[in-house]
Amino acid sequence: MKNLFLFKNVLFGVLLTLFISYSVIAQEPKFNISKDLLLVQLDCKTDIDDLHTAAGLATLLKHPDYKYLNYFAVAGAYGIQEGLYVPPNELMKMAFKSNWTDADKEWEASLDKVVNKALKTIKDGGSVWVAEAGQSDFTAAWVKKLSEKNSSINIKESIHVVQHSDWNESVTEPTKLKYAQTVTDYHKIADGNEVGNGTPGLKSDGKVEWESKLNDEHLTKVWNTAIRLGNEYNGKEGRYLNESVAEGGLDFSDLSEVCYILDLMNIKNTDEFFTYFMVE
């Protein structure tokens, strides 16, 4: 009788745990492509990986599933790290036309652009998803402006921030990092520089055969530009030396956050990325 009582208690505990786990999963917010805004914020300082990330985003946008994806890109969304900027403007114009902003040269104007887009998205019943391909300083600034413009917005429900890098967090101004982590729906995922940790590992140690998988003149031009600019600035004048890129590899590890947002976490590495987004 005592054993039966213990068994029932254990069974009840297991069922309760499963129910709670299911409830948490069920409540996890998901990107709604018909209503939500994807905001990709690139720091471009001082690693050149954001150049490859921009090319990776352009590749994703070519896929039929994301033909109508509402997105906006930000360059120059950096924090307090030292070192020189990696000018991405040639690439950004080529990849995204006018659907991006230059926060390096126009910080305040860029904040206003993002706030206006966020306000429209939320007003229309959507949420904003931020791929933090850099630090949270820019996020903290525009979220604060958004709150000041409309204090009735539930920021925790409407703004979802995704970060993959411990280093990015370490070079965010501490009070701004705390603000972003506390006020928004902040998601920390495993590092996109590594393979096999549950997050797409979008950094290669050797050459990636991407050319044969992208039968598209524009995307080929975008990638060649990203690679050329990356080689031009990699490790130059005190900038960070990305050894993988120096050895002929690719590094668009910051795109792992976009993969998380769009539920593409089954992509294992760079080869699988180009296979998934192949253009024939």
Side-chain angles (χ1 to χ4, degrees):
M1 197 72 181
K2 183 179 179 181
N3 287 341
L4 180 62
F5 177 76
L6 288 172
F7 174 76
K8 286 182 177 179
N9 275 347
V10 171
L11 181 61
F12 176 77
V14 170
L15 291 174
L16 182 62
T17 301
L18 289 173
F19 175 77
I20 292 171
S21 298
Y22 176 78
S23 298
V24 170
I25 293 170
Q27 292 170 5
E28 187 73 26
K30 290 187 176 181
F31 186 86
N32 186 330
I33 200 165
S34 67
K35 298 191 295 184
D36 293 351
L37 169 67
L38 172 64
L39 191 62
V40 182
Q41 298 180 174
L42 307 159
D43 64 314
C44 304
K45 185 182 179 182
T46 68
D47 193 350
I48 55 85
D49 60 347
D50 285 332
L51 299 171
H52 292 188
T53 296
L57 177 61
T59 305
L60 181 148
L61 293 170
K62 187 73 174 180
H63 194 280
D65 287 353
Y66 305 108
K67 184 177 180 181
Y68 299 109
L69 177 68
N70 182 21
Y71 80 95
F72 192 67
V74 180
Y78 45 73
I80 58 175
Q81 69 267 47
E82 297 180 356
L84 295 178
Y85 189 61
V86 178
N89 293 33
E90 176 188 355
L91 175 65
M92 298 295 283
K93 291 173 185 175
M94 184 185 300
F96 311 124
K97 297 182 180 177
S98 61
N99 210 27
W100 71 284
T101 188
D102 183 356
D104 175 58
K105 291 184 178 177
E106 299 177 328
W107 182 271
E108 290 298 328
S110 295
L111 290 176
D112 289 338
K113 287 179 184 178
V114 170
V115 167
N116 290 336
K117 287 182 176 294
L119 281 170
K120 184 180 186 309
T121 298
I122 295 166
K123 181 182 176 182
D124 293 341
S127 295
V128 180
W129 290 79
V130 183
E132 202 80 281
Q135 298 71 48
S136 295
D137 300 66
F138 186 81
T139 299
W142 74 255
V143 169
K144 187 176 180 183
K145 270 199 168 190
L146 178 70
S147 297
E148 290 169 352
K149 271 205 166 188
N150 188 340
S151 60
S152 68
I153 293 174
N154 187 324
I155 300 296
K156 202 81 168 178
E157 288 185 1
S158 301
I159 312 296
H160 313 282
V161 178
V162 183
Q163 174 63 267
H164 84 110
S165 168
D166 290 339
W167 186 83
N168 281 343
E169 290 183 329
S170 74
V171 288
T172 298
E173 200 282 318
T175 60
K176 293 174 182 176
L177 176 62
K178 186 69 175 177
Y179 180 83
Q181 291 175 328
T182 304
V183 173
T184 74
D185 175 36
Y186 190 92
H187 301 243
K188 181 65 182 297
I189 64 173
D191 199 310
N193 289 283
E194 306 294 333
V195 175
N197 60 8
T199 291
L202 301 179
K203 182 178 183 178
S204 68
D205 290 328
K207 183 173 172 54
V208 180
E209 296 298 330
W210 61 269
E211 297 99 323
S212 61
K213 296 181 180 180
L214 297 184
N215 185 24
D216 182 274
E217 185 178 349
H218 177 69
L219 284 181
T220 299
K221 188 176 180 182
V222 166
W223 272 105
N224 281 330
T225 302
I227 292 168
R228 172 176 57 80
L229 289 173
N231 292 337
E232 180 181 342
Y233 289 103
N234 192 22
K236 302 298 168 60
E237 298 181 274
R239 291 179 178 86
Y240 174 77
L241 176 63
N242 190 314
E243 293 183 2
S244 294
V245 173
E247 293 171 4
L250 298 178
D251 183 356
F252 49 108
S253 51
D254 282 321
L255 202 71
S256 63
E257 297 154 353
V258 175
C259 291
Y260 174 85
I261 291 167
L262 299 180
D263 197 20
L264 295 167
M265 295 293 272
N266 288 331
I267 294 174
K268 180 182 177 182
N269 54 28
T270 53
D271 287 322
E272 286 194 8
F273 175 85
F274 286 107
T275 298
Y276 190 97
F277 290 103
M278 183 182 295
V279 181
E280 298 178 315

